[in-house]
């Protein structure tokens, strides 16, 4: 059970990093990364598709993860996003009974 939670947290982290910084990867890196991480294809399936070795796919995914984490380490966009989202959620909870504030906080949360 704990392993599933950790795996899910890692997936969410990878998805957020990719959402913010994926466009900074090469087209080939994006395609392979999306197939493995987002589409849950096996390394073997992706290796066959792109005519590279399974080890090559593994290395590329590790390299992409490292690159995305480096971008976050420098820019902190995911960290800022999560902080803003948390604060707006708190505002939303505190705004119960104040329809205008609730409406605005709902709009912000939808945009995030």
């Amino acid at each position: 059970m704990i392993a599933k939670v950790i795996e899910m947290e890692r997936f969410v982290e990878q998805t957020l990093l990719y959402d913010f910084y994926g466009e900074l990867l090469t087209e080939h890196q994006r395609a392979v990364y999306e197939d493995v991480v987002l589409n849950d294809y096996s390394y073997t399936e992706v290796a066959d598709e792109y005519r590279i070795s399974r080890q090559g796919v593994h290395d590329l995914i590790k390299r992409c993860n490292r690159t995305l984490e480096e971008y976050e380490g420098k820019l902190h966009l995911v960290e800022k996003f999560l902080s803003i989202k948390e604060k707006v959620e708190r505002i939303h909870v505190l705004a119960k009974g104040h329809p205008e504030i609730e409406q605005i906080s709902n709009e912000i949360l939808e945009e995030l």
Side-chain angles (χ1 to χ4, degrees):
M1 178 69 173
I2 293 174
K4 277 277 193 210
V5 171
I6 292 170
E7 185 179 320
M8 183 59 79
E9 288 176 358
R10 179 67 180 148
F11 175 75
V12 170
E13 178 184 347
Q14 287 177 306
T15 303
L16 280 171
L17 289 171
Y18 184 78
D19 285 347
F20 278 86
Y21 306 112
E23 288 297 315
L24 300 173
L25 299 174
T26 68
E27 189 174 327
H28 176 71
Q29 287 173 324
R30 281 194 311 270
V32 172
Y33 194 85
E34 286 176 9
D35 282 348
V36 171
V37 176
L38 305 180
N39 299 328
D40 201 28
Y41 294 160
S42 71
Y43 287 176
T44 302
E45 290 172 312
V46 175
D48 290 346
E49 172 74 22
Y50 294 98
R51 299 177 194 263
I52 57 179
S53 69
R54 187 182 178 288
Q55 184 64 45
V57 173
H58 177 266
D59 292 346
L60 189 141
I61 296 301
K62 281 183 68 171
R63 208 169 31 254
C64 287
N65 281 331
R66 189 172 36 248
T67 299
L68 296 172
E69 289 167 2
E70 287 172 2
Y71 287 136
E72 176 60 15
K74 292 176 183 171
L75 301 173
H76 307 286
L77 297 178
V78 173
E79 179 184 332
K80 290 173 187 172
F81 166 79
L82 292 174
S83 174
I84 290 168
K85 185 174 184 235
E86 179 183 316
K87 289 173 185 172
V88 173
E89 287 171 347
R90 285 187 8 225
I91 289 170
H92 183 74
V93 168
L94 294 171
K96 295 293 182 201
H98 302 288
E100 189 175 349
I101 297 172
E102 276 187 273
Q103 172 75 26
I104 293 168
S105 63
N106 271 338
E107 291 171 9
I108 294 170
L109 287 170
E110 287 175 16
E111 289 179 21
L112 292 175

